[in-house]
């Protein structure tokens, strides 16, 4: 809210367009993606709140602060597994669809002590001690309404860690990582293979 429409926003986007590397941690990661969890409430949304009600008062969104081409059409999140944020990220995808911003929402989530390094061609690798998660919704959620538990099935997830694994943001496909499916059904989260992380 403080930076939109300012010379700072313009200067940052000019540097990004010129190919200057840019990065961010925590909320600084969130603002790099097209769609932003703006966290305007006094506390951030938890997975249990977001799954029980994707329109909970803690679920606030904005878009288009920065123009990073490789992150177009994506919503980001940080402190991921440590703060158990998978459930809220499925709710993020639901809200991106509900806003009319994307017909098949995508998300990128990064663990603590971990970074995702993205080359100009969209090839991405992880460094650090944790994982990076790439989420792709198949389309519209079944139930995404105020005060109703989320039902959103068949979210494709792909997890990479530091090493030989990589992910192409252009083709939205990975190599050397782990792929699985996630679903939220009446607010309850599950994954093929058991673990959601």
């Amino acid at each position: 809210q403080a930076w939109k429409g300012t010379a700072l926003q313009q200067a940052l986007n000019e540097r990004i367009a010129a190919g200057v590397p840019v990065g961010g941690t925590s909320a600084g990661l969130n603002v790099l993606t097209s769609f932003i969890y703006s966290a305007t409430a006094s506390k951030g949304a938890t997975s249990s709140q977001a799954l029980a009600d994707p329109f909970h008062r803690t679920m606030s969104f904005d878009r288009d602060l920065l123009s990073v081409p490789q992150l177009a059409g994506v919503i980001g999140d940080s402190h991921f597994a440590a703060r158990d944020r998978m459930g809220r990220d499925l709710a993020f995808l639901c809200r991106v669809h509900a806003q009319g911003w994307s017909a098949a929402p995508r998300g990128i989530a990064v663990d603590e002590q971990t970074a995702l390094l993205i080359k100009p061609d969209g090839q991405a690798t992880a460094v650090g001690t944790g994982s990076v998660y790439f989420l792709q919704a198949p389309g519209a959620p079944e139930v995404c309404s105020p005060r109703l538990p989320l039902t959103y099935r068949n979210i494709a997830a792909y997890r990479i860690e530091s090493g030989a694994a990589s992910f192409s943001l252009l083709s939205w496909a990975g190599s050397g990582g782990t792929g699985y499916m996630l679903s939220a059904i009446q607010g309850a989260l599950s994954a093929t293979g058991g673990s959601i992380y």
Side-chain angles (χ1 to χ4, degrees):
Q1 291 173 341
W3 289 9
K4 266 195 163 182
T6 67
L8 176 59
Q9 180 189 24
Q10 180 180 345
L12 287 168
N13 280 322
E14 286 173 353
R15 302 304 188 279
I16 292 166
V20 174
V22 63
T25 61
S26 194
L29 179 157
N30 290 15
V31 299
L32 294 175
T33 52
S34 291
F35 311 134
I36 302 165
Y37 170 59
S38 54
T40 56
S42 58
K43 292 184 178 181
T46 66
S47 283
S48 59
Q49 290 167 335
L51 287 167
D53 178 4
F55 289 78
H56 189 271
R57 59 179 176 77
T58 57
M59 295 281 282
S60 57
F61 299 89
D62 209 320
R63 63 177 299 173
D64 302 328
L65 178 69
L66 300 179
S67 299
V68 181
Q70 298 85 348
L71 298 175
V74 173
I75 189 164
D77 205 2
S78 56
H79 306 285
F80 197 57
R83 298 189 186 178
D84 190 22
R85 288 182 164 172
M86 186 67 82
R88 84 172 195 170
D89 273 48
L90 266 62
F92 284 1
L93 299 180
C94 143
R95 287 295 303 277
V96 166
H97 189 280
Q99 297 283 132
W101 292 345
S102 175
R106 291 174 168 175
I108 297 175
V110 182
D111 280 342
E112 293 180 354
Q113 300 183 35
T114 308
L116 181 67
L117 307 180
I118 305 171
K119 294 181 179 180
D121 65 0
Q123 284 294 319
T125 54
V127 294
T129 60
S131 301
V132 179
Y133 303 80
F134 303 87
L135 306 176
Q136 170 74 69
E142 291 175 53
V143 180
C144 179
S145 300
R147 295 177 296 280
L148 290 178
L150 175 67
T151 295
Y152 210 170
R153 301 176 198 261
N154 301 320
I155 308 295
Y158 197 85
R159 183 184 72 241
I160 67 169
E161 297 164 352
S162 181
S166 64
F167 196 87
S168 170
L169 299 178
L170 185 62
S171 64
W172 205 260
S175 173
T178 302
Y180 56 104
M181 302 297 288
L182 293 157
S183 291
I185 302 173
Q186 294 183 345
L189 195 58
S190 62
T192 57
S195 176
I196 62 173
Y197 292 106

